[in-house]
Amino acid sequence: MDLKNKVAVVTGAAQGIGRAITLNLAQNGASVAVCDIDENLAEQTARELRETGFKAMACGLDVTRISSVEEMVKKILDKFDRIDILVNNAGITRDTLLIRMKDEDWDSVLNVNLKGVFNCTKTVSKVMMKQRVGRIVNIASIVGLMGNAGQANYSASKGGVIALTKTCAKELAGRNINVNAVAPGFIQTRMTDKLSDEIKNNYVKLIPLAKLGQPEDVANTVLFLVSDLSDYITGQVLKVDGGMVM
C-alpha cells in the first residue's frame, strides 16, 4: 500500500479519526494536507508530521462554505501540484430527541456532515477528472444505515453521505475515480470518552467482537480504499463496527 508520490487531502484532520487517517497516509508515503476548521490545531498536526520527516501542510477549512473549499484546493495545488486522494471526514454532532431538536441543530449538522462532503467532492473531483485518476473516501457511520434514537440529524446526514457516495461513484467512474464510504461503529475517541462507563458497556454488549473500535481501525480501512489494492472497488460502504450491523 505504497502511497509514494500521492497527495492526500483529509478534512477534519486535526484530531480523532481524522488525525489517525492523516498519520496513516503520511506514514505510507503520501504528502498530506491537514485541513480543519481549527487552523492552529491543523498546523500543529502538520508541524509534527514535518518534524518526523513527512511532507505535510495545514489548511484552515470551513467545509460548509464553497469559497473556503476552493481556497483550500488552490493552496494545495500551489504546494503539491496535484490531488490524488480526498478523505471527507469533517463532521459534528448535535444530539437530542427529534421533538426537542432545534432548527439550528438540524441545519448545522446537515451543513457540515452532508453539504461539506458535497462541497469538497465537487471541487476536488474537478482536479481529479483532469488527472483522470483519484480516490475519494467519505466517512459515514453505521447510524446512517440503522438509525439511532437521539440522532435524527446525524443519521440523516450520514445516510445522505452514503447515497451521495454511490451517485458520485457512478458519475466519476469513467474518469478512473473510485468513490467509497467507511461506516464506523462505536469508535473510542475524545467524544466517546465523555460517555459514562454504563453507556459504553451497553454499547459493547451490542458488538459481537465485544470491544470498542480504535481510530486506527478506521484509518487502516481508509488506507486500503485509497491504495491500488482497491482498484476494482467503488460505490461501496465498508462497515468498521466489530460486527454491530450485519
Side-chain angles (χ1 to χ4, degrees), residues 99-220:
I99 59 172
R100 297 175 184 166
M101 189 170 290
K102 299 176 182 178
D103 286 354
E104 52 265 36
D105 294 331
W106 176 271
D107 291 342
S108 60
V109 170
L110 269 291
N111 279 337
V112 173
N113 296 5
L114 184 54
K115 186 179 180 182
V117 175
F118 165 76
N119 284 340
C120 293
T121 301
K122 179 181 178 181
T123 307
V124 173
S125 66
K126 293 176 182 177
V127 178
M128 293 179 173
M129 289 174 73
K130 291 179 181 178
Q131 297 170 173
R132 301 193 71 85
V133 67
R135 294 284 191 275
I136 299 173
V137 178
N138 300 323
I139 306 302
S141 170
I142 59 168
V143 303
L145 297 167
M146 60 179 280
N148 194 35
Q151 290 192 308
N153 48 6
Y154 189 74
S155 59
S157 71
K158 294 302 186 178
V161 166
I162 290 170
L164 180 60
T165 297
K166 294 176 180 294
T167 296
C168 291
K170 291 183 177 182
E171 291 188 5
L172 298 174
R175 294 300 181 96
N176 196 31
I177 301 170
N178 297 40
V179 188
N180 292 288
V182 175
F186 197 83
I187 306 298
Q188 191 166 1
T189 62
R190 288 198 302 175
M191 185 184 302
T192 57
D193 286 342
K194 297 176 182 177
L195 300 175
S196 68
D197 289 339
E198 181 182 0
I199 292 175
K200 291 179 185 178
N201 290 334
N202 287 337
Y203 272 112
V204 170
K205 291 176 183 177
L206 301 174
I207 302 171
L209 288 181
K211 61 181 180 179
L212 304 183
Q214 299 298 318
E216 290 73 22
D217 295 318
V218 180
N220 287 334

Side-chain angles (χ1 to χ4, degrees), residues 4-165:
K4 186 178 179 181
N5 299 323
K6 303 289 187 181
V7 176
V9 178
V10 184
T11 70
Q15 56 189 329
I17 291 174
R19 177 183 169 89
I21 292 169
T22 304
L23 294 176
N24 205 3
L25 297 180
Q27 289 165 357
N28 282 275
S31 301
V32 295
V34 185
C35 304
D36 201 282
I37 196 165
D38 188 334
E39 189 168 4
N40 291 331
L41 199 56
E43 178 54 47
Q44 179 181 325
T45 300
R47 183 170 59 251
E48 290 172 2
L49 285 168
R50 291 193 297 268
E51 288 173 350
T52 50
F54 301 116
K55 294 180 180 179
M57 65 178 291
C59 288
L61 173 65
D62 180 354
V63 296
T64 68
R65 294 192 302 110
I66 190 68
S67 59
S68 179
V69 176
E70 291 171 344
E71 183 180 353
M72 170 202 72
V73 169
K74 184 179 184 302
K75 288 180 179 178
I76 294 168
L77 292 177
D78 287 344
K79 174 74 172 179
F80 294 126
D81 200 40
R82 62 184 294 113
I83 298 175
D84 302 282
I85 296 163
L86 169 64
V87 182
N88 285 306
N89 170 75
I92 62 171
T93 58
R94 296 289 185 272
D95 295 349
T96 190
L97 294 175
L98 178 66
I99 59 172
R100 297 175 184 166
M101 189 170 290
K102 299 176 182 178
D103 286 354
E104 52 265 36
D105 294 331
W106 176 271
D107 291 342
S108 60
V109 170
L110 269 291
N111 279 337
V112 173
N113 296 5
L114 184 54
K115 186 179 180 182
V117 175
F118 165 76
N119 284 340
C120 293
T121 301
K122 179 181 178 181
T123 307
V124 173
S125 66
K126 293 176 182 177
V127 178
M128 293 179 173
M129 289 174 73
K130 291 179 181 178
Q131 297 170 173
R132 301 193 71 85
V133 67
R135 294 284 191 275
I136 299 173
V137 178
N138 300 323
I139 306 302
S141 170
I142 59 168
V143 303
L145 297 167
M146 60 179 280
N148 194 35
Q151 290 192 308
N153 48 6
Y154 189 74
S155 59
S157 71
K158 294 302 186 178
V161 166
I162 290 170
L164 180 60
T165 297

